[in-house]
Amino acid sequence: LSFDEIIRLAKAACSLGVRKIRLTGGEPLLRRGVVDLVARLRQETPIQDLALTTNGLLLPRLADALKSAGLHRVNLSLDALSPEVFLAMSGGYGSVQQVIAAAHRCLELGLPLKLNAVVKRGVNEGEVVGLLEFTRKLGVPMRFIEYMDVGGSNDWRRDQVVSEQEILSQVRAHLGPTRSQPEDPFSVARHYQLERDDYEFGVIASITRPFCGGCVRARLSSDGKLFTCLFSNTGHDLRSLLRSGAPDEVLHDRFAGIWGKREDRYSELRAAQGDAQPKVEMSYIGG
Ligand code: SF4
């Protein structure tokens, strides 16, 4: 999609009540001109919350311009502090130092920041406590994410999932009791606080505690397909509609029609259906 096309779709979404957009990937900072896209989304749409999920490698170079363009906040992936484990989780891309440099740059700029870690048994479950201690000292919220069966390229197995309860047990064993925070029905994370100092962290337990009932996220791929679920195997082609010269009202109605017919609840049905259903890759539609 061109930026003009993205802006048109963002406006159509906003006309239906969308107030939050997250730029994700793949890696969104690889898109040439991404700072201009951020500026245009802020200037040309009524979006109230514009977020970015990134591996952070290009962030030290771009953070200043992104903040000036109006970006509200950043999520950075940091799956481990050990360099070897980090590379095992990232598929060989980047380094711990680069992510930490990106985090410090956001903090210097006052750009609100969260760190995310996917936890995979046999790879980085031993990093949970170290990561939490690190983010606690940094003063940045941490989100642990249960390892998911997104796409077909990660050879997901259920026994590789480190559950929310296992993550909490590790945290409590090393850092003391935690207390649950009030639930937000539209937040994908459950929030907890360490009793010792009120430090807040979250767990996204999409495998052991699915939250499809509160899922309000549509995902738009870079080639203009709208996915109503992270685990869909087909998207709705909006690019053809855009390029056919459809007026704004038609775009609006198409969006509304797709969303209105939505019945997705893959995570709730996963156990019954098995895990064999083909799915779109997360690098194609974001998390
Ligand atoms: S499985 Fe689909 S519907 Fe359920 S929470 Fe995930 S993206 Fe939303």
Side-chain angles (χ1 to χ4, degrees):
L1 297 179
S2 68
F3 287 173
D4 285 344
E5 289 168 333
I6 293 171
I7 296 293
R8 275 198 75 200
L9 290 175
K11 283 182 177 169
C14 287
S15 72
L16 290 160
V18 167
R19 291 293 174 267
K20 172 178 171 181
I21 289 179
R22 175 177 298 280
L23 301 175
T24 178
E27 174 46 49
L29 298 185
L30 288 174
R31 176 72 187 247
R32 190 171 298 135
V34 66
V35 173
D36 295 333
L37 178 61
V38 167
R40 289 192 59 184
L41 283 167
R42 285 301 313 281
Q43 287 162 12
E44 299 176 38
T45 77
I47 216 71
Q48 292 167 358
D49 184 358
L50 183 57
L52 174 81
T53 295
T54 170
N55 63 20
L57 304 190
L58 295 173
L59 199 55
R61 203 191 307 165
L62 293 173
D64 218 329
L66 288 166
K67 176 147 195 284
S68 300
L71 185 70
H72 289 116
R73 55 204 182 85
V74 171
N75 280 32
L76 272 173
S77 302
L78 180 63
D79 293 330
L81 292 174
S82 148
E84 297 76 29
V85 180
F86 178 94
L87 288 173
M89 289 297 291
S90 74
Y93 290 104
S95 70
V96 175
Q97 287 76 12
Q98 284 174 303
V99 180
I100 291 175
H104 281 296
R105 190 69 194 120
C106 290
L107 292 173
E108 284 162 13
L109 291 169
L111 199 49
L113 174 69
K114 285 181 191 158
L115 288 167
N116 294 338
V118 173
V119 187
K120 184 176 174 186
R121 191 180 312 285
V123 186
N124 71 333
E125 81 259 47
E127 297 277 328
V128 166
V129 173
L131 282 168
L132 201 63
E133 297 219 69
F134 173 75
T135 52
R136 185 167 69 100
K137 285 184 191 133
L138 205 59
V140 168
M142 184 77 208
R143 297 282 176 269
F144 295 108
I145 304 170
E146 289 182 349
Y147 181 50
M148 283 189 283
D149 49 337
V150 282
S153 62
N154 68 357
D155 295 324
W156 182 86
R157 295 196 323 264
R158 184 170 287 270
D159 61 9
Q160 295 169 317
V161 177
V162 179
S163 70
E164 176 180 39
Q165 287 312 314
E166 291 176 274
I167 291 167
L168 290 174
S169 296
Q170 278 200 45
V171 170
R172 289 168 185 150
H174 291 87
L175 297 170
T178 61
R179 69 173 84 86
S180 303
Q181 296 299 98
E183 280 183 27
D184 172 351
F186 297 115
S187 171
V188 297
R190 301 285 174 120
H191 298 98
Y192 300 90
Q193 272 183 338
L194 296 178
E195 284 191 4
R196 60 162 65 180
D197 60 2
D198 296 340
Y199 171 71
E200 189 174 312
F201 65 99
V203 183
I204 301 177
S206 58
I207 303 294
T208 63
R209 201 146 50 148
F211 37 77
C212 299
C215 174
V216 291
R217 295 183 176 194
R219 294 168 170 86
L220 181 68
S221 66
S222 58
D223 58 357
K225 294 204 176 64
L226 186 73
F227 291 82
T228 58
C229 176
L230 182 55
F231 297 93
S232 301
N233 52 18
T234 51
H236 302 266
D237 180 16
L238 297 180
R239 183 171 63 180
S240 301
L241 192 64
L242 282 167
R243 294 186 181 175
S244 72
D248 289 344
E249 309 80 64
V250 173
L251 276 183
H252 174 285
D253 291 351
R254 180 87 174 111
F255 243 118
I258 293 168
W259 196 256
K261 290 198 188 79
R262 177 175 183 256
E263 292 182 337
D264 306 290
R265 53 190 193 103
Y266 173 83
S267 287
E268 292 178 352
L269 300 173
R270 178 188 283 110
Q273 290 179 338
D275 307 315
Q277 174 185 320
K279 301 174 282 290
V280 65
E281 295 300 329
M282 194 156 93
S283 57
Y284 180 64
I285 56 165

